[in-house]
Amino acid sequence: MRIVSYVLAVVLGLLGVVFVAGNQGVVLRIVVGAVLLASAVALVVAARLRPRIEQRNIVQKIDLSGDVRAEQLSCRKCGAQLDEESIEVKAGAVFASCRYCRSSYQLEEAPKW
């Protein structure tokens, strides 16, 4: 977005210079040129003052109550092996997405009794 602002400011600045330099005694052209130059300066200032968006990674830690061991997960639809990239947490629930058959479903923990 900053690059677009800078390019637009350069175009407006050049047009402002053209209007001021080619005024031929017409006051309205000087006013239009001054407005264009002021707009170019305002665009540059706005682009410089705009805060940058920071990307943050959120790490979610889960406290498990019992013995836990890693298991191979397979897709319920096609049986393909799922890797860690296939698992994600959405709104507090764990979802699996198969990259082969494109199915997606929520993983639920079955009771072990």
Side-chain angles (χ1 to χ4, degrees):
M1 191 66 182
R2 286 185 180 200
I3 294 173
V4 174
S5 297
Y6 290 142
V7 169
L8 190 58
V10 167
V11 170
L12 288 177
L14 289 175
L15 283 174
V17 169
V18 167
F19 269 89
V20 171
N23 65 30
Q24 298 178 352
V26 180
V27 177
L28 184 59
R29 288 185 184 169
I30 296 173
V31 171
V32 169
V35 168
L36 288 172
L37 288 171
S39 299
V41 170
L43 270 174
V44 169
V45 168
R48 303 277 291 163
L49 293 179
R50 184 173 182 220
R52 293 185 182 198
I53 298 172
E54 293 182 24
Q55 183 177 358
R56 297 183 182 183
N57 293 330
I58 298 173
V59 177
Q60 184 174 3
K61 294 184 179 182
I62 300 172
D63 186 25
L64 301 172
S65 60
D67 293 333
V68 178
R69 59 185 165 85
E71 250 181 58
Q72 290 291 332
L73 294 176
S74 58
C75 177
R76 293 180 187 169
K77 306 271 182 186
C78 69
Q81 295 255 335
L82 300 176
D83 56 358
E84 61 268 358
E85 294 176 0
S86 302
I87 309 299
E88 63 182 336
V89 178
K90 296 180 191 173
V94 180
F95 284 87
S97 301
C98 180
R99 62 180 168 186
Y100 299 106
C101 68
R102 305 277 188 232
S103 65
S104 179
Y105 48 88
Q106 181 178 351
L107 293 178
E108 298 173 359
E109 183 179 358
K112 301 196 184 217
W113 10 297

